[in-house]
């Protein structure tokens, strides 16, 4: 079973910051199709702070590091995304409390715990067209795999997020601001799902994992 060191996790977070910052306008434009158009800016504002503080963050344990990231999200990520992403990092960090590296089972449990926290926070259900519609199948795929090849896991979970973009595209949002416009949210992708898929696809590119995306939002 593969393990991830704290330095490898920090690197993945740093790549994530670059992805979020680079896509600030694109993610906001997507959110503007059915929501209030703030998603990209909300997320980028927080991840710019994470990027700036990452070199100095306490890296003695994965849990402590993720709790710090969680606090930055809660404080600096705007709109409804702050509590969602903050809760995700906090719950993942709680699973990794005191660990200097995480094995595949722990990584899978961190994702599961992040999902539980986000569900408890926002009350979204399957098919409500939120980022959970990407995170649930990702977690299930991780549980199915043995984690002996993390590149294979990354390609598989990227495929799940990619599929979630098109699987939810035609549905009407039931949570968040997009739910307030009802039918206008149909036939627009959920920006949170696109965000997760874009982050994972960028990880594939960074780590040299072959993946050919299907959704138009990943083929720009
Ligand atoms: Mg919004």
């Amino acid at each position: 079973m593969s393990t991830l060191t704290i330095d490898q996790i920090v690197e993945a977070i740093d790549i994530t910051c670059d992805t979020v910052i680079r896509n600030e306008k694109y993610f906001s434009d997507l959110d503007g199709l059915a929501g209030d158009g703030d998603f990209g800016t909300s997320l980028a504002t927080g991840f710019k702070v994470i990027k700036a503080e990452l070199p100095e963050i306490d890296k003695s344990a994965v849990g402590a590091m993720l709790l710090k990231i969680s606090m930055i999200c809660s404080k600096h990520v705007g709109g409804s995304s702050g509590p969602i992403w903050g809760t995700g990092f906090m719950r993942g960090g709680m699973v990794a409390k005191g660990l200097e590296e995480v094995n595949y089972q722990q990584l899978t449990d961190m994702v599961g715990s992040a999902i539980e926290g986000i569900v408890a926070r926002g009350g979204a259900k399957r098919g409500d067209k939120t980022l959970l519609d990407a995170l649930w199948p990702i977690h299930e795929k991780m549980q199915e795999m043995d984690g002996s090849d993390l590149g294979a896991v990354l390609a598989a979970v990227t495929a799940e997020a990619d599929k979630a973009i098109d699987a939810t595209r035609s549905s009407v949002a039931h949570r968040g601001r997009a739910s307030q416009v009802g039918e206008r949210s149909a036939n627009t992708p959920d920006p949170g799902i696109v965000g997760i898929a874009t982050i994972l696809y960028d990880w594939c590119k960074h780590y040299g994992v072959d993946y050919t995306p299907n959704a138009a939002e990943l083929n720009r």
Side-chain angles (χ1 to χ4, degrees):
M1 192 188 276
S2 314
T3 58
L4 288 173
T5 64
I6 191 159
D7 287 341
Q8 288 173 310
I9 295 170
V10 168
E11 184 187 4
I13 291 171
D14 190 50
I15 301 162
T16 304
C17 292
D18 293 340
T19 299
V20 168
I21 293 164
R22 191 173 62 248
N23 288 284
E24 174 172 353
K25 182 175 185 309
Y26 180 66
F27 290 164
S28 279
D29 287 349
L30 281 184
D31 189 32
L33 297 173
D36 51 4
D38 67 343
F39 177 65
T41 302
S42 296
L43 214 54
T45 302
F47 277 78
K48 281 172 192 168
V49 179
I50 294 172
K51 175 97 184 166
E53 296 197 10
L54 204 51
E56 308 303 327
I57 283 178
D58 173 9
K59 300 185 190 71
S60 57
V62 176
M65 188 264 296
L66 291 179
L67 288 181
K68 176 67 186 169
I69 302 273
S70 160
M71 284 188 270
I72 296 174
C73 285
S74 300
K75 190 170 173 196
H76 296 283
V77 174
S80 54
S81 298
I84 290 170
W85 290 67
T87 298
F89 280 114
M90 182 187 71
R91 292 293 297 266
M94 285 161 64
V95 174
K97 190 165 187 280
L99 301 176
E100 289 172 28
E101 55 181 35
V102 295
N103 64 32
Y104 183 68
Q105 185 58 55
Q106 289 161 338
L107 185 65
T108 304
D109 291 345
M110 286 163 68
V111 174
S113 178
I115 290 171
E116 281 175 16
I118 293 169
V119 171
R121 184 100 207 188
K125 295 188 288 294
R126 285 208 184 234
D128 278 354
K129 201 171 182 174
T130 73
L131 84 174
L132 285 163
D133 285 325
L135 295 179
W136 274 311
I138 285 170
H139 184 234
E140 284 154 12
K141 182 58 73 177
M142 289 181 78
Q143 288 175 306
E144 279 170 37
M145 299 179 79
D146 67 7
S148 55
D149 178 350
L150 287 179
V153 172
L154 179 54
V157 298
T158 304
E160 293 301 325
D162 186 0
K163 269 190 275 178
I165 296 174
D166 284 323
T168 55
R169 187 185 302 276
S170 61
S171 31
V172 174
H174 293 292
R175 303 294 303 179
R177 292 275 167 72
S179 63
Q180 294 167 14
V181 302
E183 293 295 329
R184 187 157 71 83
S185 66
N187 294 316
T188 63
D190 178 69
I193 296 173
V194 174
I196 298 288
T198 304
I199 288 165
L200 292 172
Y201 184 37
D202 278 1
W203 286 2
C204 287
K205 289 188 252 187
H206 180 87
Y207 294 111
V209 171
D210 270 336
Y211 182 72
T212 307
N214 291 299
E217 287 73 17
L218 298 182
N219 282 302
R220 291 181 277 132

